[in-house]
Amino acid sequence: MARNPVQFQKGISLNAFLSLYGSEDQCFDALFQWRWPSGFLCPHCAHDRCCQLNTRKFQQYNRCHRQTSITAGTIFDSTKLPLTVWFQGLYFMIQDKIRCIGDDAAPPARRQARTGAPGKTPFVAAFETNEQEHPLRVTLTVVEGFRLTEIAAWAQQHLSPGTQVLSDGPACFNGVTAAGCVHESMVTGGGKAAVERPEFRWVNTILGNIKTALRGAYHAVRPKYAQRYLAEVVDRFNRRFDLPEIIPGLVYVALRTPPMPERLLKLRLA
């Protein structure tokens, strides 16, 4: 049997990481390229030329003479830490089994969905599969409950019209038709036989991985943080096709994410 190229691909070792981002200048040049991939452009006067001042932490636009830093307006804004420390933190974070980066909610072409266990924080687990039934992407979304209106709202946000949806039986999943999807229900029942149904293999696999990871790392998981724990699973799974590109992809998004003060972060979690 041929080896799975995704499963056995090489990631980026610590030595390789340090060779790319081991100095402040290397980190700065990487941030500059990822922040302005099409070339530098002043947001105030639209001029494409700037000069770097002193320690390279600030750029001054040649036309309007305004100044900015490579981290201004990003989650790194006003940081006192060296860029090398930030990059090392990002590296070790993506190597960890549990991390929260963000949810990938791109519309799929085909998905399989199932619910969580009664009495737990309810969330929808859905996979996009190709014609060979191989998994492409996953989305894990906390919902208020398994009601028709709730699933309809979820489908409007996460599914493309025309998506063929296979669910594991609950009537609430008929709500996906409100988003123009085609719904097929397959009642699986309970017990071991239900878990072993091939149609829901990947859903059950990732749910098992989530439970194992959380139990191995935490004594308890609060419901208000559930979406964040699920988001890290989504990110790891959906970016698995190209492991070396995880760091550039993560930093690219971070450079386009505004500062998040602690008071706002707590407000979002409330």
Side-chain angles (χ1 to χ4, degrees):
M1 181 180 294
R3 296 178 63 179
N4 187 322
V6 175
Q7 182 179 359
F8 291 98
Q9 66 176 306
K10 291 184 178 180
I12 179 170
S13 67
L14 179 58
N15 286 338
F17 168 80
L18 292 176
S19 70
L20 294 172
Y21 313 112
S23 71
E24 199 72 6
D25 285 348
Q26 286 176 307
C27 294
F28 181 93
D29 292 340
L31 288 181
F32 196 97
Q33 175 62 35
W34 294 333
R35 183 163 189 181
W36 296 293
S38 300
F40 177 82
L41 192 67
C42 174
H44 304 287
C45 65
H47 194 55
D48 62 354
R49 297 293 179 88
C50 69
C51 59
Q52 296 171 350
L53 304 180
N54 298 328
T55 61
R56 304 185 72 200
K57 291 184 178 181
F58 289 88
Q59 290 76 48
Q60 180 171 289
Y61 309 121
N62 290 356
R63 177 179 293 172
C64 66
H65 302 295
R66 298 192 184 191
Q67 296 179 2
T68 189
S69 71
I70 193 71
T71 58
T74 74
I75 62 172
F76 309 115
D77 201 350
S78 302
T79 181
K80 302 298 189 295
L81 294 175
L83 295 178
T84 51
V85 174
W86 273 105
F87 270 68
Q88 290 170 22
L90 293 173
Y91 173 79
F92 288 115
M93 182 174 65
I94 66 172
Q95 297 299 311
D96 195 10
K97 294 296 183 183
I98 293 291
R99 69 191 191 285
C100 177
I101 295 176
D103 188 11
D104 184 350
R110 184 175 186 277
R111 289 190 180 230
Q112 302 173 344
R114 62 161 294 163
T115 67
K120 306 296 183 180
T121 299
F123 69 94
V124 174
F127 270 94
E128 176 188 3
T129 59
N130 59 19
E131 294 180 354
Q132 292 74 38
E133 298 299 324
H134 295 157
L136 299 178
R137 291 177 294 175
V138 64
T139 184
L140 305 170
T141 313
V142 173
V143 293
E144 293 293 331
F146 295 114
R147 299 184 295 272
L148 194 68
T149 54
E150 188 73 13
I151 299 303
W154 173 86
Q156 293 282 358
Q157 181 179 358
H158 293 277
L159 303 182
S160 298
T163 297
Q164 297 178 353
V165 179
L166 174 64
S167 75
D168 60 355
C172 62
F173 280 110
N174 289 321
V176 302
T177 59
C181 301
V182 179
H183 178 225
E184 178 185 352
S185 178
M186 181 177 292
V187 180
T188 60
K192 183 178 181 181
V195 176
E196 294 178 348
R197 292 292 293 264
E199 296 85 357
F200 300 99
R201 170 192 173 192
W202 292 109
V203 170
N204 290 322
T205 296
I206 201 162
L207 290 177
N209 290 342
I210 292 171
K211 292 177 182 178
T212 300
L214 294 180
R215 288 171 180 170
Y218 301 99
H219 294 292
V221 175
R222 294 182 181 180
K224 72 175 182 178
Y225 299 119
Q227 187 61 66
R228 291 178 171 267
Y229 291 113
L230 296 177
E232 70 86 11
V233 178
V234 169
D235 186 84
R236 178 182 292 277
F237 189 90
N238 292 348
R239 296 179 186 272
R240 72 194 186 284
F241 294 103
D242 194 349
L243 296 181
E245 284 300 309
I246 291 182
I247 292 177
L250 174 57
V251 179
Y252 183 92
V253 173
L255 288 170
R256 286 151 182 81
T257 302
M260 180 60 66
E262 185 177 5
R263 60 181 178 81
L264 295 181
L265 183 61
K266 289 183 177 179
L267 182 62
R268 289 183 61 183
L269 291 175

